[in-house]
Amino acid sequence: MGVKDLVRTSDIRQSTVVGWAWASLVANIGIILTGGLVRLTGSGLGCPTWPRCTDESFVPHSSLGWHGAIEFGNRLLTYVLIAIAIATFFAVWRWAGATTTMKQLTVLIGVGIPFQGVIGGITVLTQLNPWVVALHLLLSMGLVVAATVLLVLVRGDGGSTVDQLTRRLVLLAYGLLLIAIYLGTIVTGSGPHAGDADAPRNGLDPQFWSRIHALSVWALVAVTLVVIWRLRGHRVQRAAWMVLAAELLQGAIGYVQHFTGLPIGLVAAHLVGGAILLAATTYLVLQVAPASRENADTLA
């Protein structure tokens, strides 16, 4: 019996598929939070090896203390993500309204989650090398993008036609956001929250890279303001306002955490805020369809 036999279309409702798509998005944002808490509490090597927690056991023992429990708990959450990914896969593949792209996205997310676990294992085996830790986060952000696209597609949130310049500005904003996220990982890799007292840092100047990161965010806000102005009177403007609100909140958290010594709670909020901002901006990108040659002049 092949995959097609197992996932024959049925009378599964769209609302059920949407529910699982939401679960996938929320879960992939949630694992970013729990993974961040592992690092922020100094529990990155709470389980000193991988795939076992210790050389003798898959589960932590009392001598590892609460650090071992936190690190192992985050590993267990990977299985929750896998369960949600499997449920989403079957819901989409059994839905009569599913497209090839939707099905491919469920496969991508399903494969990405265990691969993310492997990257997590490499971070432990490399003693929390900051560049590998950054890759771990970036892959999670990629899964958030895939889950957002899937959610938009199964909801049937079709895009609206905009002029080419506006669409290019939206894509520029998206590119600036991706740059800002990557620069944020560089700042993190040079900062104090290494995940373990003996974990290496990337050796870069945190003050300098914090300023570069802030500049990328200000550029992002500036481009978003231009996008909002160009979308005046357009139904998609609401999505752009949501993106701007997320940017301003994320920026405010970033500045407060910087000037208050990077408290754990604010750093965790900044991580989640980054994922939510990425999801919101991905949604905006999907809402702006390029104008056809015939009507581009009238929309400009």
Side-chain angles (χ1 to χ4, degrees), residues 79-262:
Y79 295 99
V80 176
L81 257 71
I82 291 174
I84 293 174
I86 292 173
T88 305
F89 171 87
F90 279 103
V92 170
W93 281 69
R94 293 180 61 202
W95 179 40
T99 65
T100 300
T101 300
M102 296 176 194
K103 295 176 180 179
Q104 290 172 341
L105 283 168
T106 62
V107 174
L108 176 64
I109 295 170
V111 172
I113 291 171
F115 183 65
Q116 176 74 319
V118 172
I119 299 296
I122 294 174
T123 65
V124 173
L125 297 177
T126 58
Q127 302 298 298
L128 306 182
N129 181 290
W131 301 106
V132 181
V133 173
L135 178 61
H136 195 40
L137 174 63
L138 292 174
L139 179 55
S140 282
M141 290 294 191
L143 291 174
V144 167
V145 171
T148 302
V149 175
L150 176 63
L151 176 61
V152 171
L153 293 180
V154 299
R155 280 169 53 92
D157 291 336
S160 296
T161 300
V162 298
D163 62 275
Q164 289 289 352
L165 178 56
T166 301
R167 177 170 169 78
R168 287 170 182 167
L169 286 169
V170 171
L171 293 176
L172 174 60
Y174 199 64
L176 288 169
L177 174 59
L178 297 179
I179 291 172
I181 290 173
Y182 179 70
L183 290 173
T185 67
I186 293 178
V187 175
T188 298
S190 64
H193 295 299
D196 187 82
D198 298 322
R201 301 283 73 203
N202 60 27
L204 300 176
D205 181 0
Q207 293 297 326
F208 172 79
W209 286 99
S210 291
R211 294 189 184 99
I212 298 298
H213 175 58
L215 286 174
S216 70
V217 174
W218 279 114
L220 170 61
V221 171
V223 173
T224 303
L225 286 170
V226 176
V227 168
I228 289 174
W229 177 74
R230 290 192 62 85
L231 287 173
R232 58 194 184 280
H234 200 291
R235 78 172 188 86
V236 179
Q237 191 187 53
R238 181 180 179 184
W241 277 113
M242 291 174 59
V243 169
L244 179 64
E247 289 170 357
L248 294 177
L249 179 59
Q250 181 72 342
I253 294 173
Y255 273 109
V256 172
Q257 71 168 7
H258 177 75
F259 290 111
T260 56
L262 301 175

